[in-house]
Amino acid sequence: MNRSDHIQSLLNDPTLKPSTRRVSTRDDSTYDTVFSTKDGDALILRIHVPISGNTPRLTSAPKMTLVGFAVRHPWIDSCMKVTGFPHIATSAAFQKSGLTLAQAVNQVVQHMQLNPPTNIVIVDESLRKMNEHIRRHNNAGTSGRQSVNNSSHSNGSAHSSGNGNGNRNSYSMSSAPAPTPPPPPPQYNLPPHFSTAIQMTDMDERKKQNTISKHLNTSGHELPSPSPSSFPAIEQMNNRQEIKNLLENMTQPDQMKAVTQILSQTPLYRQMQETLQLLTESNAEAANRNLQKEKDINVLCASISESKQSLKEKVELLEELQTKQGELVKPMERNEILYELKRAKKEKMEESEEMAQRWLQNDTNDGYSDTDAFVEQFLKSRTVHHVRAAKMERIEFSTNKGLF
């Protein structure tokens, strides 16, 4: 959904539109929405819609903050930022929720209406005046409705009572005080259903407590028993001295046994003992499961150690082979090349000379009884000799010219 569509959903929402206005002058990124809680406090929620570069989509979650107030609320951090609403906690969560901006703001506002913040401190003087104005308006509206009801009741009594001649009292209507006109509306127009205080009935409260108890019981937790308001065993003691002796001699085994016996009669103590027993058994079971896996863990640990040692040896061998490879493929030095060519050239020269000497001496063991075969082999050996000599001359020439 495009960023502009999110903003239009906020500005055109029938509930939020009367109390929402843009506060940023340079762009369309920041808006304020005013709402009132069920306690009658008017709060301002500032919504910041991040600009996502060149893309038209809203890729970042909107940021919501209470401005002008310092409050305490589970959804609000110390900087008055709304962090407890999960759908705007991260950009991924907002994209996954599929909510529009108006829907997200509506859910936050309605939650704060039903669960108002506590310890509200107004840090902006204009907001303080606005809250006082709203309270006076609410009080005046209540008193005005009461005056109208009282006047209607008195007028009805006056019309029903007549004089002996059957004439009705003509001054009863004028004697009733006129209702006080309501004060002018505040700067912000509150949404209709936001200005209605939501009261929780006894039935709602019982449903809430039943829901909490059901949740705790299904999650494996139990509500602790309330602390006892009286201790009959202690109250039955004869005098204060007996109680004092009991407290002062707590270190003695007999007294400790007596105190333990007294405490064991309370439901809370028995529940704590049951909880302790349950935790002990749970820890024992967990320890036994860990001990059963000890052998497998030791085998895995030994296998990992062997693999680690093998990997270390192979890495060392690889480094050694890489060093040898570097020595083999690196270019030879000029003097080393000339030395190897000179040695190889001399070997071919001596080989060809020895071949010629054996052929001149008519050595039948040289394998060259045929003249053509001798000449072919002799030329091959001398050709290699002269090629190596030519390479040496070329290298020396290039060195003298500064090309090598």
Side-chain angles (χ1 to χ4, degrees), residues 134-256:
I134 292 175
R135 291 184 182 277
R136 288 197 301 269
H137 172 68
N138 293 335
N139 295 333
T142 303
S143 60
R145 287 192 298 270
Q146 293 177 353
S147 300
V148 171
N149 293 334
N150 294 335
S151 63
S152 300
H153 179 72
S154 60
N155 291 337
S157 301
H159 282 290
S160 61
S161 61
N163 53 21
N165 298 328
N167 297 328
R168 300 182 182 274
N169 294 333
S170 60
Y171 57 84
S172 297
M173 289 288 289
S174 60
S175 62
T180 305
Q187 181 180 0
Y188 289 92
N189 294 323
L190 300 179
H193 76 282
F194 286 175
S195 60
T196 303
I198 302 175
Q199 301 293 340
M200 185 174 291
T201 62
D202 295 338
M203 181 62 69
D204 294 334
E205 183 66 25
R206 286 195 295 271
K207 289 181 179 179
K208 177 182 176 183
Q209 293 297 333
N210 293 335
T211 302
I212 295 174
S213 301
K214 182 179 179 181
H215 173 71
L216 291 175
N217 291 331
T218 55
S219 60
H221 300 279
E222 296 183 358
L223 291 173
S225 301
S227 300
S229 58
S230 62
F231 295 88
I234 297 179
E235 293 175 355
Q236 292 175 3
M237 291 184 176
N238 297 329
N239 50 38
R240 292 181 177 272
Q241 186 62 35
E242 188 175 355
I243 299 177
K244 183 177 180 181
N245 294 336
L246 178 64
L247 296 176
E248 291 179 351
N249 299 323
M250 289 281 290
T251 56
Q252 298 182 6
D254 296 339
Q255 297 295 336
M256 283 295 297

Side-chain angles (χ1 to χ4, degrees), residues 11 78-79 82 93 104 106 112 122 155 170 195 202 222 245 270 278 287 301 303 321 328 345 356 366 369:
L11 297 179
S78 59
C79 298
V82 178
N106 257 318
M112 291 189 181
I122 304 177
N155 291 337
S170 60
S195 60
D202 295 338
E222 296 183 358
N245 294 336
R270 289 195 298 269
L278 180 63
C301 183
S303 176
L321 293 176
L328 292 174
K345 183 189 73 168
D366 56 2
S369 56

Side-chain angles (χ1 to χ4, degrees), residues 49-165:
V49 188
I51 299 176
S52 306
N54 297 326
T55 176
R57 295 183 59 83
L58 182 61
T59 57
S60 301
K63 309 297 181 184
M64 302 186 191
T65 310
L66 281 183
V67 294
F69 300 88
V71 302
R72 285 188 179 180
H73 193 274
W75 278 20
I76 301 176
D77 63 6
S78 59
C79 298
M80 298 301 107
K81 295 181 179 179
V82 178
T83 58
F85 186 46
H87 294 313
I88 63 171
T90 61
S91 300
F94 181 67
Q95 297 293 337
K96 186 177 180 180
S97 67
L99 296 176
T100 64
L101 181 60
Q103 292 172 343
V105 174
N106 257 318
Q107 292 189 25
V108 173
V109 169
Q110 291 177 6
H111 176 78
M112 291 189 181
Q113 284 183 304
L114 292 169
N115 305 275
T118 58
N119 299 341
I120 299 178
V121 177
I122 304 177
V123 297
D124 191 306
E125 187 62 29
S126 60
L127 295 179
R128 186 189 305 277
K129 294 180 180 178
M130 183 182 72
N131 271 275
E132 293 176 354
H133 190 93
I134 292 175
R135 291 184 182 277
R136 288 197 301 269
H137 172 68
N138 293 335
N139 295 333
T142 303
S143 60
R145 287 192 298 270
Q146 293 177 353
S147 300
V148 171
N149 293 334
N150 294 335
S151 63
S152 300
H153 179 72
S154 60
N155 291 337
S157 301
H159 282 290
S160 61
S161 61
N163 53 21
N165 298 328

